[in-house]
Amino acid sequence: MSFLEHLSELRLRLRNSAIVFLVAVVVSFICVKKYFVFLTRPARQAWEMALNGQPAVFHFASPTEPFWVYTKISIIGALLAASPFVLWELWKFVAPGLYKKERRLVMVITVATAGCFVGGAVFGYLILCTPALTYMFSFAEKFSGFEIQPTIMMDELVGFMLAMLLGTGVAFELPIVIAVLGWIGLVTARQLWRFDKYALILSAVVGGVLTPGPDILSQLLMAGPLFALYNLSILIVWMIERARKKKM
């Protein structure tokens, strides 16, 4: 194909992706309230556990806040829904220029990256969010003569949940990154094992950075899986080195 033919092919792939994304945005706007209910479920569970079964109440500070919150959720939902098709269109544009071995490698890395990110987001949603929010909501107390009550804004809650899911999704990419570094020979399993004791401290630091809440509980809940993923990465690099030696 000539350069102009490549540009025409790229324009076709981008057009198809844009159409699918716009359709996904429209569908997301129709279902956005269901998305909001699903996204805030850990927060509502935490509220009821921390405040003795009281139903959760979320507020908005301006008349336009709910609209922009729903718009944000709709766009993110559309990106997630359209991403498989967009990646497929991108793959059809790139794949003809790759060798068979390169295509296989790109497919494995892409599937593994997506799987780890989704797994991390699911971990954050099911395991991390509710305990962390329960701890933070537990500061609502009654004292003699006064009480502390939570006033949770829609925008802040949605931002917290999205940041938590994004942070856990990115954190779970650790095995992929280290495996790629091991595959190209920048790190070895022995080097990674020697760094293991420092990885424990680094996991705690990264857990504090990736979790939006300032509480110790959410940081520990993030640091534990990070350290486990690091040790899993050592095993993966060791298997890569072992397979490489067998081929030699």
Side-chain angles (χ1 to χ4, degrees), residues 24-227:
V25 169
V26 174
V27 175
S28 294
F29 265 108
I30 296 173
C31 305
V32 67
K33 292 185 178 180
K34 295 182 179 179
Y35 293 171
F36 180 79
V37 171
F38 176 79
L39 184 63
T40 59
R41 181 183 176 186
R44 289 182 283 111
Q45 292 176 340
W47 184 297
E48 293 177 0
M49 287 188 288
L51 280 78
N52 300 319
Q54 295 182 20
V57 179
F58 304 134
H59 303 265
F60 52 91
S62 66
T64 59
E65 182 174 332
F67 172 78
W68 290 116
V69 169
Y70 287 155
T71 301
K72 182 193 300 184
I73 296 174
S74 299
I75 293 176
I76 294 175
L79 286 172
L80 293 175
S83 58
F85 182 84
V86 174
L87 289 175
W88 177 248
E89 288 292 316
L90 180 62
W91 172 250
K92 288 195 292 185
F93 175 74
V94 174
L98 301 176
Y99 292 107
K100 184 177 181 180
K101 184 178 180 180
E102 294 173 336
R103 289 198 296 267
R104 189 183 302 114
L105 179 62
V106 171
M107 286 293 292
V108 170
I109 293 177
T110 301
V111 172
T113 301
C116 288
F117 184 86
V118 172
V122 171
F123 170 82
Y125 183 84
L126 296 178
I127 306 299
L128 186 60
C129 289
T130 300
L133 287 170
T134 301
Y135 172 78
M136 287 183 276
F137 289 158
S138 66
F139 286 102
E141 300 179 82
K142 290 185 178 180
F143 297 90
S144 56
F146 71 97
E147 59 182 304
I148 300 174
Q149 293 184 347
T151 302
I152 309 301
M153 298 299 181
M154 289 178 62
D155 186 44
E156 294 177 352
L157 177 62
V158 169
F160 176 90
M161 291 298 302
L162 292 176
M164 187 72 79
L165 300 183
L166 177 63
T168 52
V170 171
F172 273 57
E173 298 293 343
L174 181 63
I176 305 300
V177 174
I178 295 181
V180 171
L181 293 177
W183 181 74
I184 61 180
L186 291 181
V187 296
T188 64
R190 179 172 296 181
Q191 292 174 339
L192 294 172
W193 179 251
R194 289 176 179 174
F195 190 74
D196 192 62
K197 56 184 177 181
Y198 304 107
L200 179 59
I201 301 175
L202 188 60
S203 298
V205 174
V206 174
V209 172
L210 292 179
T211 50
D215 61 293
I216 299 298
L217 178 61
S218 60
Q219 295 176 9
L220 291 177
L221 289 174
M222 175 71 83
L226 275 177
F227 185 65

